[in-house]
Amino acid sequence: MSDASAVIDHLPVLPRAVLYDWDNTLVDNWGTVRAALNHALVTFGHPAWTEDEARERIKQSLRDSFPRIFGERWTDARDLFYAYFEAHHLEHLRPLPGAESLLRGFAERGIYQAVVSNKTGRFLRAEADALGWTGYFGRLVGAQDAEFDKPHGAPVLMALEPANISPGPNVWFVGDADIDMECAHGAGMVPVLIGAGEGSGFTRFPPAHRYDTCHALCGLVGSGGDTISDDQ
């Protein structure tokens, strides 16, 4: 649904907290992610992934996906990936249209915001710093920061901890992929999809609401809805 004004009646009350995925939700760093992965794949004798293959497969964290892809040599492949990505990831980092306006709109309303990403935590935080966005977030949780990675609920609890908020229907999870919706469903949060949706899991984990872009969701944030109170 591209027109946020059309869904205001369905979401008249803003949440107490918003958790975001990072890549392809708030920022575009897709080219560097894919290039780093293909660098590791080709080095270890695997064919490079096409654009479509990469978009379907790059969802889980590295520690969950690399052992399956590279077997016993997954740690060597990990080190190659990290070295390539660290050398290039800030060069091509771009905020997606409307993302900063969305963050600012929620911040102005006093709504707690945090990130739950399967990007390695130190890279995630470096990118937030580079964009000047760190102050918007109570916590930036990346892969390997919690005991388990998304879609597990452990990073969700870590992200919400500074605000003393429990996951539930007063928390939105905003993401672009089926793994984000799975995470939201698993923790009892409201799953909000940005974009066309990447992945085959939406039949099992459908979004409650969807928007074409961050710009569309901005319309709702600026519409004047009340924020869910502490006792809701």
Side-chain angles (χ1 to χ4, degrees):
M1 186 175 297
S2 59
D3 184 356
S5 64
V7 298
I8 290 173
D9 290 340
H10 300 286
L11 284 172
V13 179
L14 296 177
R16 288 186 63 207
V18 181
L19 303 184
Y20 302 92
D21 175 49
W22 185 251
D23 288 300
N24 302 316
T25 297
L26 296 176
V27 305
D28 178 9
N29 208 352
W30 175 252
T32 310
V33 173
R34 183 181 165 218
L37 179 58
N38 279 339
H39 175 64
L41 286 168
V42 171
T43 299
F44 283 91
H46 297 279
W49 287 358
T50 66
E51 179 78 13
D52 289 342
E53 287 172 332
R55 287 195 178 276
E56 172 61 27
R57 296 172 182 173
I58 300 176
K59 297 170 188 174
Q60 293 184 314
S61 67
L62 185 148
R63 70 171 165 180
D64 289 336
S65 61
F66 267 40
R68 185 182 69 254
I69 298 168
F70 296 100
E72 293 181 355
R73 301 192 67 188
W74 79 269
T75 56
D76 295 329
R78 173 201 63 194
D79 293 344
L80 276 177
F81 175 92
Y82 282 158
Y84 185 100
F85 189 82
E86 186 164 21
H88 300 286
H89 75 119
L90 297 182
E91 297 172 10
H92 306 292
L93 179 67
R94 299 289 185 274
L96 287 173
E100 185 162 14
S101 295
L102 180 63
L103 297 175
R104 185 168 56 250
F106 277 126
E108 288 172 350
R109 292 180 174 276
I111 295 169
Y112 178 80
Q113 300 179 93
V115 172
V116 175
S117 171
N118 276 342
K119 171 170 279 178
T120 300
R122 64 190 176 93
F123 296 146
L124 169 65
R125 289 181 283 275
E127 292 180 7
D129 281 343
L131 293 170
W133 288 2
T134 300
Y136 287 123
F137 304 115
R139 184 163 282 174
L140 291 125
V141 180
Q144 303 183 54
D145 289 336
E147 183 179 4
F148 301 99
D149 298 323
K150 187 174 66 175
H152 197 278
V156 169
L157 294 176
M158 179 177 284
L160 291 171
E161 183 182 23
N164 196 29
I165 295 174
S166 298
N170 59 355
V171 180
W172 295 356
F173 196 106
V174 179
D176 71 299
D178 51 1
I179 194 171
D180 302 315
M181 303 301 100
E182 179 180 354
C183 184
H185 278 274
M189 301 177 291
V190 176
V192 179
L193 180 67
I194 294 288
E198 298 289 346
S200 58
F202 290 107
T203 54
R204 289 185 300 145
F205 306 106
H209 307 280
R210 60 192 311 161
Y211 302 86
D212 289 344
T213 65
C214 289
H215 274 308
L217 186 50
C218 281
L220 174 64
V221 178
S223 68
D226 294 328
T227 303
I228 295 174
S229 65
D230 289 347
D231 59 359
Q232 287 183 287

